[in-house]
Amino acid sequence: MKWDGNRESENVEDRRSDNGGGGGGPVFGGRNIGIGTIVVALLGGWALGINPLTILGLLSGGGAPVAQQSAPAHSTPANDQMARFVRTVLADTEDVWTGIFRQNGSQYQDPKLVLFSRVQPTACGTGQAAMGPFYCPADQKVYIDLSFYDQLKNQLGAPGEFAQAYVIAHEVGHHVQNLLGISGKVDQIRGRVSKVEYNRLSVKLELQADCLAGVWAHHAQAARQILEQGDVESAMNAAAKIGDDALQRAQTGQVVPDSFTHGSSAQRQRWFMTGLQGGSVKACDTFSAASL
């Protein structure tokens, strides 16, 4: 992926020297949730997932997570290659989405991206590295512990810089959904439908974020020729590795479609390619699609 030398975003908060309050599990609703519980509960959703803090809130038996004040951000060393990569990809998403929103007569609001280690207070509750990357709509920030990229490569078998960029673009896709009011409408339905039906809505939300990640890649390629040989295959491989069916098969040897919250490997690949090939936000309407 061609990225070195491109503009870097100023909307990255580097909090990696903060320990977030110690090495214990995060506390929700007055109870401490062990790391084992987190991993089991979120294994199907920690990679490129819908906000996992909602799941943790349910596990704790409490209501919505309590907003917490973040510590001051620290400067990033100039030789930190991965942080530079994140800043550059985020800047590229800013450029693309600013242009798309402007073409449609509206103004894009840049999200912030927080680099953290281990645990981090957020407006949605306490985030932890075990969750993987996530987006918090309450503070409009994307949170990433960069150790996730090692897990993506070594544990999930999805190496490559473009696969890493896909992670960021997917979470920014959730930010776009938030700005458009899509994720808010889905969340409002939560208490009025069955768990199975809400899972289906969650799948549509996630697949749309995959498609929006593809829209970013389409326009970034057209404007800056960022793609190199093997990049698309890298992203498609990542989409396959984090499909619900692939994760469930790896965990239990069984696949339960009614429990899907993100979509199958084939669905995630299909919707990313829909965005990548056409670059159309309208084509990402997973909620009106006859089939996923």
Side-chain angles (χ1 to χ4, degrees):
M1 178 178 171
K2 300 175 183 177
W3 63 271
D4 198 16
N6 292 343
R7 182 179 76 85
E8 297 180 22
S9 175
E10 297 180 356
N11 290 312
V12 175
E13 302 175 9
D14 193 343
R15 305 186 185 279
R16 287 176 291 175
S17 62
D18 301 326
N19 65 11
V27 177
F28 291 84
R31 300 193 312 180
N32 183 281
I33 303 174
I35 182 66
T37 302
I38 294 172
V39 172
V40 171
L42 301 179
L43 195 55
W46 66 313
L48 317 181
I50 194 170
N51 186 357
L53 299 171
T54 300
I55 301 175
L56 290 177
L58 294 175
L59 282 175
S60 71
V66 178
Q68 301 185 37
Q69 189 70 32
S70 296
H74 301 278
S75 60
T76 300
N79 62 349
D80 192 330
Q81 182 86 344
M82 183 55 70
R84 287 182 52 243
F85 173 79
V86 170
R87 289 180 184 275
T88 303
V89 173
L90 184 64
D92 210 307
T93 66
E94 292 168 355
D95 294 342
V96 167
W97 287 112
T98 294
I100 292 176
F101 271 60
R102 183 184 298 121
Q103 290 174 2
N104 289 274
S106 57
Q107 184 175 358
Y108 181 65
Q109 302 172 30
D110 295 341
K112 300 287 186 179
L113 187 149
V114 178
L115 299 175
F116 74 99
S117 298
R118 298 171 60 196
V119 292
Q120 175 64 41
T122 82
C124 297
T126 302
Q128 190 169 55
M131 300 171 180
F134 62 92
Y135 172 73
C136 174
D139 57 21
Q140 297 192 2
K141 293 181 180 181
V142 173
Y143 292 84
I144 299 178
D145 184 316
L146 294 181
S147 65
F148 171 77
Y149 285 140
D150 291 330
Q151 297 167 336
L152 187 67
K153 175 182 177 181
N154 299 321
Q155 296 181 21
L156 295 178
E161 288 181 335
F162 193 57
Q164 295 170 350
Y166 164 46
V167 171
I168 298 171
H170 176 99
E171 299 305 333
V172 172
H174 283 310
H175 176 64
V176 171
Q177 290 172 318
N178 187 35
L179 294 180
L180 297 177
I182 297 171
S183 51
K185 290 180 180 178
V186 172
D187 193 57
Q188 290 174 2
I189 298 175
R190 179 189 301 272
R192 304 202 301 266
V193 297
S194 67
K195 181 178 179 180
V196 170
E197 181 58 30
Y198 187 77
N199 285 347
R200 292 171 182 163
L201 291 173
S202 176
V203 166
K204 293 180 180 181
L205 196 70
E206 294 299 326
L207 295 178
Q208 186 177 62
D210 282 334
C211 186
L212 294 175
V215 169
W216 158 74
H218 173 95
H219 290 278
Q221 172 65 6
R224 288 169 287 281
Q225 293 75 52
I226 65 170
L227 296 178
E228 296 180 298
Q229 184 175 1
D231 280 347
V232 173
E233 290 79 5
S234 173
M236 291 290 280
N237 177 53
K241 296 296 185 181
I242 48 81
D244 282 327
D245 53 342
L247 291 172
Q248 288 185 357
R249 193 175 292 111
Q251 294 165 46
T252 66
Q254 297 180 333
V255 175
V256 184
D258 282 347
S259 68
F260 286 3
T261 57
H262 296 70
S264 68
S265 296
Q267 289 170 335
R268 301 200 73 161
Q269 289 178 318
R270 172 194 169 188
W271 283 101
F272 174 76
M273 287 301 297
T274 296
L276 177 62
Q277 292 174 342
S280 168
V281 174
K282 291 183 179 179
C284 294
D285 186 4
T286 53
F287 294 90
S288 299
S291 65
L292 297 176

